[in-house]
Amino acid sequence: MQLKLKKRTVDGILAIEANGRIVFGEESSLLREEVKRAIADGQKQIALNLGEVSYIDSGGLGTLVALHTSAHNAGGAIKLANLTQRVGDLLQITKLLTVFEVYDSEYLALEAFRKAA
């Protein structure tokens, strides 16, 4: 399934809802370009809702790590929200849960940004 992204801004925080697969190639490139464009435009707080992501491969994981690094280097952050069981297990196995801030819902990720401000 092709990756689809829905973007909206909530209280100055960019919320991106991903739907589909984050895999090496077109899908991970789409996500990378959207997030890097947002960071370049000054949007440094990004909540990435992965509740509708059915699969992530190693290329997709690499993209998430690269985006996390890009946001961090720009003085921002990416928080992951609403992980499916499969995606959560994958992040746990790869120890990436220790890298990302993960929240049970998009609302909680947005609240974490609000409280930090």
Side-chain angles (χ1 to χ4, degrees), residues 3 11 13 18 20-21 34 37 54-55 66-67 80 89 108 110:
L3 181 66
D11 296 333
I13 304 160
R21 298 161 29 112
E34 287 293 334
R37 185 178 313 122
S54 57
Y55 181 77
L67 294 175
L80 304 182
D89 289 349
L108 291 174
L110 295 170

Side-chain angles (χ1 to χ4, degrees), residues 33-113:
E33 292 307 313
E34 287 293 334
V35 172
K36 287 198 172 204
R37 185 178 313 122
I39 292 169
D41 290 344
Q43 182 58 262
K44 295 191 167 90
Q45 296 179 319
I46 300 168
L48 188 55
N49 185 340
L50 301 178
E52 296 297 320
V53 171
S54 57
Y55 181 77
I56 297 180
D57 70 0
S58 60
L61 287 176
T63 296
L64 290 178
V65 171
L67 294 175
H68 170 76
T69 303
S70 294
H72 183 75
N73 289 343
I78 294 178
K79 298 183 188 306
L80 304 182
N82 203 20
L83 302 183
T84 62
Q85 181 73 42
R86 171 179 256 170
V87 172
D89 289 349
L90 183 59
L91 290 176
Q92 185 172 7
I93 289 167
T94 58
K95 305 282 190 234
L96 288 174
L97 279 180
T98 61
V99 173
F100 291 99
E101 289 184 51
V102 178
Y103 297 86
D104 290 338
S105 70
E106 184 178 284
Y107 174 80
L108 291 174
L110 295 170
E111 278 299 300
F113 277 124

